[in-house]
Amino acid sequence: QRSPRVEIEYCTGCRWLLRSSWVASELLTTFEGELAEVALVPAPAGEEGRGRWVVRVDGAPVWDRKARGGFPELKVLKQLIRDEVAPGRGLGHSDA
């Protein structure tokens, strides 16, 4: 497994693939030189995966929709990921 690796686990029943792929695209564009990969991971079927949308960096959660009560603003998510993969790096307008 290459590092740093971002994983976006999403609920398939909630139809969050499009949202997840958009976020993945944004992260790959923003962190072009810092990320080894961004993976889209369907959550387990059934009750266990219902409503799940979790973003992890190298296995450590940085955003859990259920725990935080919703989806992050993209700016906030980028800042959280930046803090893990490139501390001190500026994000331009995403830091404002």
Side-chain angles (χ1 to χ4, degrees):
Q1 178 171 309
R2 301 174 347 169
S3 182
R5 177 182 194 262
V6 173
E7 177 180 294
I8 303 171
E9 185 179 11
Y10 64 95
C11 172
T12 56
C14 302
R15 303 288 186 238
W16 288 337
L17 173 59
L18 185 58
R19 175 189 294 266
S20 301
S21 61
W22 173 72
V23 169
S25 174
E26 287 287 327
L27 295 177
L28 286 167
T29 300
T30 300
F31 300 103
E32 190 175 347
E34 289 92 4
L35 296 179
E37 67 179 297
V38 176
L40 299 176
V41 180
E47 194 61 37
E48 181 185 349
R50 182 171 295 145
R52 186 177 298 179
W53 197 83
V54 180
V55 179
R56 298 178 184 90
V57 176
D58 290 332
V62 295
W63 191 275
D64 183 325
R65 188 196 69 81
K66 286 183 177 180
R68 294 194 182 231
F71 291 99
E73 289 185 38
L74 186 59
K75 168 184 170 176
V76 171
L77 185 59
K78 285 181 178 183
Q79 290 169 343
L80 292 169
I81 290 177
R82 182 265 322 269
D83 293 346
E84 296 295 318
V85 303
R89 177 187 188 268
L91 290 176
H93 67 277
S94 288
D95 272 333

